[in-house]
Amino acid sequence: MLIKRPADIKGSEITPERLYFGRRTVLQGLVAAGSLAATAGLYHLFAGATRRPPAGPGPRSLVTAPVGDRRLTTDEPPTDYDDITHYNNFYEFSTSKHDVAYEARALVTRPWTVTVEGDVQRPQTFDIDDLLRRFPLEDRVYRLRCVEGWSMVIPWVGFPLASLLNLVEPLGRAQFVAFETLHDPKQFPLQRGRLLDWPYREGLRLDEALHPLTLLAVGLYGKTLPNQNGAPLRLVVPWKYGFKSIKSVVRIVLTPRMPRTTWRETVPREYGFYANVNPAVSHPRWSQATERRIGELTRRPTLLFNGYADQVAHLYAGMDLRTFY
């Protein structure tokens, strides 16, 4: 084996001090733990490490209350905060999951308003801080299943979407609820291109929107939402694939017609309006029978309606879930 003398070693071959000591610390921890499972997060730790946002004041704590109905939360261990906040799909910022947090660091979330209009008796525009004061905030631990085949368990902070919709009093002809993300190419760099038809749009049936599980999230892990997770307000519908849980919402419209939704219009063969988690209905390019829980080594079976069948299956009684996917 050839061993170079110190004078022969180029500066470009020397590991930077920050990376050397960071890796050494992690490896020492793995040896001490003596557990193969501890290596599961290594990829997430080092991928895109130089793209982490600079240190800042961080999210502020929220005053919350435990969820009243235990059927609306899970006791599964939450995914690590670092994974939740650095493994993100948010195509307005980047198509790389590990770059989103860095690209989203300068998003301005104050002031921020949300307009609720359409087929309602009392259309209104709400300031985000008014919403935080108006509705009691609950801690809800939900499973999140991405259509790509990975999953997390996330401790959200939020309030039921039904609370907001009841405030504006839906009219009898309202059958659907449409949502829109902020359209601001100055803040969302990928909105300057044609990756998708901006702004991002999603929708629910009104009965889905009024279901107690459907949440408007304003935080996670007891603190305000980080920008990369959809600050300051995002939808969370835990029995559907993650792309239904639209981020950075600014507009909600009640309508008698099924609304336009971004992925359904972009690739209709692959993404339907309902997007309910279903292990028996494969994506055209991959199976949905199993999922990879972030932080685990092995795959696990996918649960029908992401494990929420007891609460939501009645919403789809008599529907062919292969047709209405």
Side-chain angles (χ1 to χ4, degrees), residues 58-62 81 110 132 218-220 222-227 231:
R60 62 183 177 86
S61 297
L62 296 169
Y81 181 85
R110 297 294 190 281
L132 293 176
V218 297
L220 61 84
K223 298 180 181 295
T224 52
L225 273 177
N227 292 348

Side-chain angles (χ1 to χ4, degrees), residues 201-202 243 258-274 325:
R201 299 177 176 89
E202 258 309 332
F243 69 86
M258 182 179 287
R260 297 172 57 195
T261 59
T262 295
W263 283 110
R264 182 170 180 247
E265 290 200 343
T266 303
V267 197
R269 178 174 170 269
E270 298 188 4
Y271 304 104
F273 176 80
Y274 286 94
Y325 59 90

Side-chain angles (χ1 to χ4, degrees), residues 90-306:
F90 203 160
Y91 286 175
E92 284 82 348
F93 290 113
S94 175
T95 57
S96 169
K97 292 177 178 60
H98 293 287
D99 284 350
V100 171
Y102 181 84
E103 297 295 343
R105 67 196 185 283
L107 177 66
V108 177
T109 60
R110 297 294 190 281
W112 190 281
T113 59
V114 181
T115 299
V116 187
E117 58 188 336
D119 289 317
V120 299
Q121 186 69 38
R122 302 172 58 205
Q124 297 184 57
T125 296
F126 300 91
D127 177 79
I128 182 62
D129 291 310
D130 178 49
L131 290 178
L132 293 176
R133 290 187 294 265
R134 186 184 293 261
F135 301 112
L137 301 180
E138 296 182 356
D139 295 303
R140 300 271 190 102
V141 184
Y142 282 170
R143 291 178 288 273
L144 171 72
R145 173 59 155 83
C146 182
V147 72
E148 296 169 344
W150 54 268
S151 65
M152 294 183 178
V153 177
I154 301 182
W156 299 108
V157 176
F159 58 92
L161 173 59
S163 298
L164 180 61
L165 297 184
N166 290 335
L167 193 65
V168 298
E169 300 177 15
L171 298 175
R173 59 179 176 267
Q175 299 296 316
F176 294 88
V177 185
F179 305 85
E180 287 186 12
T181 293
L182 175 69
H183 187 231
D184 184 353
K186 291 183 179 179
Q187 297 201 78
F188 293 137
L190 265 61
Q191 286 185 346
R192 301 167 199 161
R194 298 185 177 181
L195 177 66
L196 295 171
D197 181 20
W198 309 109
Y200 192 89
R201 299 177 176 89
E202 258 309 332
L204 299 172
R205 259 183 6 207
L206 182 58
D207 58 346
E208 296 175 320
L210 294 174
H211 192 280
L213 281 170
T214 306
L215 194 71
L216 285 176
V218 297
L220 61 84
Y221 266 103
K223 298 180 181 295
T224 52
L225 273 177
N227 292 348
Q228 62 268 29
N229 291 96
L233 181 77
R234 66 170 289 167
L235 181 70
V236 180
V237 193
W239 69 93
K240 295 179 179 288
Y241 291 118
F243 69 86
K244 296 292 291 186
S245 294
I246 184 171
K247 302 177 178 75
S248 301
V249 175
V250 295
R251 188 168 180 245
I252 301 173
V253 182
L254 281 78
T255 172
R257 294 174 296 277
M258 182 179 287
R260 297 172 57 195
T261 59
T262 295
W263 283 110
R264 182 170 180 247
E265 290 200 343
T266 303
V267 197
R269 178 174 170 269
E270 298 188 4
Y271 304 104
F273 176 80
Y274 286 94
N276 291 321
V277 176
N278 190 340
V281 178
S282 296
H283 185 280
R285 290 183 281 128
W286 57 80
S287 170
Q288 296 287 19
T290 63
E291 64 192 57
R292 177 177 60 90
R293 177 70 55 82
I294 299 300
E296 295 181 352
L297 288 173
T298 58
R299 299 185 70 85
R300 57 169 62 203
T302 297
L303 303 175
L304 181 62
F305 297 115
N306 202 26

Side-chain angles (χ1 to χ4, degrees), residues 309-324:
D310 288 346
Q311 294 99 317
V312 304
H314 68 277
L315 297 175
Y316 312 101
M319 294 176 62
D320 182 348
L321 299 181
R322 292 184 176 275
T323 300
F324 298 98

